[in-house]
Amino acid sequence: MKTYRIASIPGDGIGIEVIAEGEKVLRELARKDGGFALEFTPFDWGSERFLKRGAYMPEAPLEILKKFDAIFFGAVGSPDVPDHISLWGLRLPICQGFDQYANVRPARVLPGITSPLTKGNEIDWVIIRENTEGEYSGSGGRVHKGLPDEVATETSVFTRKGVERIHRFAFELAKKRPRRHLTLVTKSNAQRHGMVLWDEVFYEVAKNYPDVRTDRQLVDAVTTSMTLKPSTLDTIVASNLHADILSDLAAALSGSLGIAPTANLNPERTFPSMFEPIHGSAFDITGKGIANPIATFWTASMMLEHLGEAKAAARMMSAIEKVTARKVFTPDLGGTARTGDVTAAVAAAL
Ligand code: IPM
Ligand code: MG
C-alpha cells in the first residue's frame, strides 16, 4: 500500500483549527478507501515560534520539507507580527524556493450555498495565479529610511520563462475543462513592459492550443464580467497580484471565503507542492470553534488529486457537496454549525 508523507504546517490562527480537522477527515478517507495511507508530520512553524525564537522556520527548511510528498498548510499571519514579516518568513519562501509557480484556485457555488449574485450558479471558474514572480517578486528596496527623502521601490518582475510556463500550465488545464476557454487577464494598457510581455507570450503559447478558445480582459474590466456575466468565464490566468485580488472576489461570489481552496503546484514535481485554504489566519474568530473547515477539505481533495488519488479526491468532493446541500453551515455561510459539526458531517458522508 502506498503511504504518502505529508508535512503539516498549521501555522497561525484558525489555520491550526482547520488543519486538525483536515487531517481527521483525510485519515478517515484513507481508512475507507483502503488503497493508500497518509502519514502526517507536524511542524510548529508559525508566529508563536517567531516571537519566541526569532524565526518562523529553522535553518534550511526546504531541506527538511523536500522529503515529503506534499505540504498541508493552514495560514500565516498574527496581530503581533507585521504581515510582510510573517509572509516572507514562512509562506513565500516555500512557494518560491520550491518553484510552486502554478497557484490553482477553483471557484464554484457548492450545492445548498447561496451566492450573493442572482446568477451565482453559473460560477464555475478556475483562476490560475502566477505564484513565484510578478508583483510578489520581492524585488525592490528602501533608501534614506525615515528621512524626508525616503524612497521605496517595488519592482514587478516578469521573466519570459516564468510567463511562458504559467500560460502553458493554464492552457493545459483549460484544455481539460469542458468549455475549453481561457481568459487572459492583463493590464498592458497601463503597465507597458511586464504586462506587454505577459500578453505577447500568451499568444505565442496559444498557437499550440488551437482547441482552446481565448479572450483577453483588463483586470478592472474582468471584475465586472465576474459579477455581471459569470457564465462567460471559465479558466482565467492572471499575474500574482491580479489573481490574488480576483480570487477573493471569486470566493465571495461563491458564497464565502471559508470554502475557497488553493494548490501551490510545482508541476514538474521536482519539489513538493503545497495545499492551503485561501482564508488566512482570521484572528477575529480564532479559538471560537466556528472556522469553516470546508476550504481545507476542498484543499485536501486537491492534494489527493495531485498525489494521484483521483478516486479519493472525488469522494471527498462529493462528501463536501452532500454536507453543503444539507446546509450544515458555519456562521460565515449564515449557519450555526461549529467547525466540529461540519467535520463530523463530512466524515459521515464519506
Ligand atoms: C492569498 C493571501 C496571501 C497573498 C496573503 C496572506 C499575503 O491573500 O493567498 O491570496 O496575497 O498571497
Ligand atoms: Mg489573497
Side-chain angles (χ1 to χ4, degrees):
M1 188 164 62
K2 174 92 185 121
T3 299
Y4 300 106
R5 298 192 58 212
I6 312 293
S8 279
I9 310 179
D12 294 335
I14 63 166
I16 297 168
E17 300 167 31
V18 293
I19 289 300
E21 306 298 308
E23 287 184 15
K24 265 186 229 162
V25 167
L26 276 166
R27 278 204 187 90
E28 179 68 9
L29 178 56
R31 197 178 62 79
K32 292 210 160 113
D33 182 279
F36 67 95
L38 297 161
E39 188 188 290
F40 296 96
T41 305
F43 291 91
D44 68 347
W45 301 354
S47 295
E48 214 180 287
R49 186 186 194 280
F50 173 77
L51 291 168
K52 264 193 235 140
R53 299 162 67 180
Y56 274 86
M57 304 191 273
E59 244 161 70
L62 301 186
E63 285 305 307
I64 302 170
L65 291 179
K66 132 178 136 182
K67 302 176 192 97
F68 290 87
D69 295 306
I71 304 164
F72 198 33
F73 188 92
V76 61
S78 155
D80 306 319
V81 185
D83 286 337
H84 66 279
I85 304 284
S86 56
L87 196 72
W88 284 98
L90 184 56
R91 186 171 163 272
L92 287 182
I94 300 174
C95 290
Q96 292 193 344
F98 280 159
D99 223 5
Q100 294 165 347
Y101 63 85
N103 183 255
V104 180
R105 303 188 158 195
R108 206 149 51 76
V109 182
L110 300 180
I113 293 181
T114 315
S115 165
L117 297 182
T118 49
K119 296 174 177 172
N121 289 339
E122 295 169 10
I123 294 175
D124 183 3
W125 305 325
V126 179
I127 297 176
I128 294 148
R129 170 178 180 181
E130 198 296 314
N131 211 33
T132 50
E133 53 175 43
E135 308 87 343
Y136 280 54
S137 68
S139 166
R142 283 169 74 169
V143 289
H144 312 308
K145 255 195 176 170
L147 296 175
D149 292 345
E150 183 164 4
V151 178
T153 59
E154 189 80 46
T155 309
S156 294
V157 174
F158 291 91
T159 65
R160 178 171 282 278
K161 178 182 162 193
V163 171
E164 205 214 275
R165 65 187 186 176
I166 195 64
H167 287 329
R168 192 171 296 282
F169 181 91
F171 273 102
E172 286 294 330
L173 201 144
K175 195 171 93 172
K176 291 188 198 110
R177 287 172 52 82
R179 287 188 282 160
R180 293 199 202 142
H181 177 209
L182 179 60
T183 299
L184 168 69
V185 172
T186 185
K187 194 67 196 177
S188 54
N189 55 346
Q191 297 179 299
R192 59 187 180 160
H193 308 297
M195 279 280 121
V196 173
L197 177 70
W198 174 257
D199 290 6
E200 277 171 16
V201 173
F202 179 87
Y203 289 107
E204 284 168 23
V205 174
K207 288 188 194 132
N208 303 309
Y209 297 89
D211 45 346
V212 176
R213 192 162 55 85
T214 62
D215 68 343
R216 172 180 168 279
Q217 296 198 39
L218 298 174
V219 66
D220 46 348
V222 83
T223 61
T224 60
S225 301
M226 289 169 77
T227 320
L228 302 176
K229 293 181 283 179
S231 66
T232 61
L233 296 163
D234 176 34
T235 319
I236 298 163
V237 66
S239 69
N240 215 331
L241 180 63
H242 291 168
D244 173 43
I245 299 164
L246 297 181
S247 59
D248 264 30
L249 177 60
L253 297 179
S254 349
S256 169
L257 197 55
I259 61 169
T262 192
N264 300 284
L265 300 179
N266 173 249
E268 287 73 31
R269 295 170 188 266
T270 315
F271 304 109
S273 293
M274 180 159 73
F275 301 82
E276 60 171 332
I278 291 186
H279 49 62
S281 50
F283 269 82
D284 51 331
I285 58 161
T286 298
K288 295 192 174 150
I290 55 166
N292 192 343
I294 295 286
T296 300
F297 299 158
W298 191 344
T299 295
S301 169
M302 294 180 85
M303 182 165 81
L304 290 168
E305 180 95 49
H306 180 77
L307 291 171
E309 299 295 337
K311 195 167 75 92
R315 189 167 176 176
M316 175 77 94
M317 267 334 277
S318 91
I320 292 170
E321 291 182 17
K322 273 191 193 128
V323 170
T324 57
R326 281 177 34 223
K327 297 189 189 285
V328 184
F329 289 161
T330 43
D332 56 298
L333 285 169
T336 54
R338 307 191 41 88
T339 309
D341 301 332
V342 181
T343 303
V346 171
L350 284 173

